[in-house]
Amino acid sequence: PWGLVSMNTAPSLVHHFLERSVGLYPKKTALVHERRRASYLEVNQAANRLSHRLLEAGVIPGDRIALLCENSLEFVFCYFGILKAGGIVVPLNTDLKSKGLADLLSELEPKALIASPKLEATARSLDLSCCRAGQLLVIDPRPSERGPAPADPRLYREFAGYPDGNPELDIEPDSCAAIIYTSGSGGRPKGAMLSHANIVANTRAIIEYLGLTSNDVQMAVLPFFYVMGMSLLNTHVAVGGSVVINN
């Protein structure tokens, strides 16, 4: 029902790792953040809703989508949702000030900027038209920890009502999946373009030499907007492990 990748097929796209793991471990906890939990099925469904939202907004394969979000369940939903829509994920340093963000957005010309509630004020301080950026999407504030369970499928207004099945898109493995910026300690930050094939090969190599399995639990302290933090996420999702998110 979710258009799962065959268990006998080696993943060729980054989001295939998630789709493979949801087929094997749908109810298993994929993410832990403070008191919140999300199973593989919940992560995949939230990512799919966002991808359909982006596709309806006119996102086409190769469009850049900037993500301004701290380490959180929402970052992961958005990361995979953008990839599933054929977009290029551009996670931005959450410590950047308005001027630095405006410079990067002007260079990227993203189709959309997705911001977390914590960084909404920073995002709204930007003149997106001057930055040649598209629309701003703000993730709903997370529910009260004493309120509805995080599994509520309608937690996020931006995603509500959209299909939770995998989009059927023809994405080439050699197409760009992510642009990761350097810290800028040696000058202006530079964006490294990483293809799906690049990230998949890197992920599989790390899994092999560390011997990762579905029993592994990894605390991710490094920010996901850096390549090493993203690598921790990719590798553990690929094997069906669990990621404990920490900022």
Side-chain angles (χ1 to χ4, degrees):
W2 306 296
L4 297 173
V5 175
S6 167
M7 297 303 104
N8 297 319
T9 302
S12 59
L13 302 174
V14 178
H15 49 280
H16 285 173
F17 288 128
L18 172 60
E19 292 170 5
R20 182 178 185 277
S21 288
V22 77
L24 291 170
Y25 316 105
K27 299 300 183 182
K28 182 178 179 181
T29 297
L31 305 173
V32 177
H33 185 204
E34 298 175 350
R35 298 184 182 181
R36 301 176 68 198
R37 304 287 187 274
S39 69
Y40 272 100
L41 179 60
E42 290 162 355
V43 173
N44 195 53
Q45 288 179 332
N48 286 338
R49 291 189 190 100
L50 175 60
S51 68
H52 287 290
R53 167 72 173 84
L54 294 174
L55 290 168
E56 185 181 86
V59 170
I60 60 175
D63 279 344
R64 294 169 293 282
I65 309 294
L67 180 55
L68 186 62
C69 184
E70 68 279 9
N71 282 13
S72 60
L73 271 63
E74 286 73 21
F75 183 103
V76 181
F77 298 161
C78 292
Y79 172 66
F80 285 110
I82 293 167
L83 292 172
K84 284 168 173 279
I88 299 171
V89 184
V90 189
L92 300 175
N93 188 331
T94 55
D95 291 330
L96 285 173
K97 305 305 180 187
S98 296
K99 176 62 168 62
L101 283 172
D103 289 344
L104 291 187
L105 291 174
S106 296
E107 176 179 275
L108 287 165
E109 298 184 15
K111 190 68 172 278
L113 168 62
I114 302 177
S116 70
K118 182 178 178 181
L119 295 159
E120 178 180 1
T122 301
R124 293 197 183 281
S125 72
L126 305 172
D127 185 339
L128 294 183
S129 61
C130 288
C131 297
R132 294 177 290 183
Q135 63 180 310
L136 171 65
L137 299 175
V138 179
I139 303 163
D140 288 357
R142 72 181 188 180
S144 166
E145 290 173 346
R146 289 173 290 184
D152 181 348
R154 300 183 69 85
L155 279 178
Y156 307 105
R157 290 189 301 272
E158 291 291 356
F159 312 163
Y162 286 89
D164 58 18
N166 295 337
E168 298 296 333
L169 294 179
D170 186 14
I171 302 171
E172 292 296 325
D174 288 336
S175 61
C176 187
I179 298 175
I180 308 297
Y181 275 90
T182 60
S183 64
S185 58
R188 180 173 174 170
K190 299 175 179 63
M193 301 172 67
L194 304 175
S195 70
H196 280 272
N198 181 185
I199 297 173
V200 167
N202 175 262
T203 299
R204 295 177 69 179
I206 293 173
I207 289 170
E208 183 176 349
Y209 75 70
L210 290 182
L212 297 178
T213 72
S214 60
N215 294 322
D216 282 291
V217 178
Q218 172 71 53
M219 177 175 282
V221 177
L222 295 172
F224 290 144
F225 58 76
Y226 280 151
V227 70
M228 186 58 186
M230 185 176 288
S231 177
L232 294 175
L233 176 62
N234 288 329
T235 52
H236 286 75
V237 166
V239 298
S242 299
V243 177
V244 180
I245 298 171
N246 194 318
N247 277 291

